[in-house]
Amino acid sequence: LVDRKFLILDKVTPEEDKGSEDWGSILYICDKVGASSANAKDCLRSIIRRLNHPSPHVVLKAIQVSIQVEVTE
């Protein structure tokens, strides 16, 4: 089950390595996570889904997003 609120996570964790991060989208995710505990749980589910992806680029970007979400909290 994919949570619609965090489909943007798919945008910031692409299958191909584009080199740089989309910081605007990452900060948007951080703001959404900080808005409520339900959003935090939904985001965590979405990150876990991306961590199980077969592409190493997706996994690396998901780790980077999870670190940024933790740092901004």
Side-chain angles (χ1 to χ4, degrees):
L1 182 66
V2 175
D3 187 352
R4 293 278 196 227
K5 285 187 252 183
F6 288 99
L7 283 178
I8 193 168
L9 192 62
D10 293 350
K11 177 184 171 192
V12 298
T13 58
E15 291 188 26
E16 63 281 345
D17 185 15
K18 294 184 179 180
S20 63
E21 290 80 17
D22 180 358
W23 284 105
S25 296
I26 292 172
L27 292 175
Y28 173 80
I29 291 169
C30 292
D31 290 342
K32 291 286 271 185
V33 166
S36 74
S37 62
N39 282 354
K41 290 177 186 177
D42 293 339
C43 182
L44 180 60
R45 272 191 229 107
S46 295
I47 289 174
I48 289 170
R49 180 178 53 84
R50 297 305 276 175
L51 289 173
N52 289 317
H53 197 279
S55 169
H57 297 294
V58 173
V59 174
L60 180 60
K61 295 289 184 181
I63 291 169
Q64 290 172 338
V65 170
S66 68
I67 290 169
Q68 292 308 315
V69 168
E70 181 182 351
V71 168
T72 59
E73 290 302 306

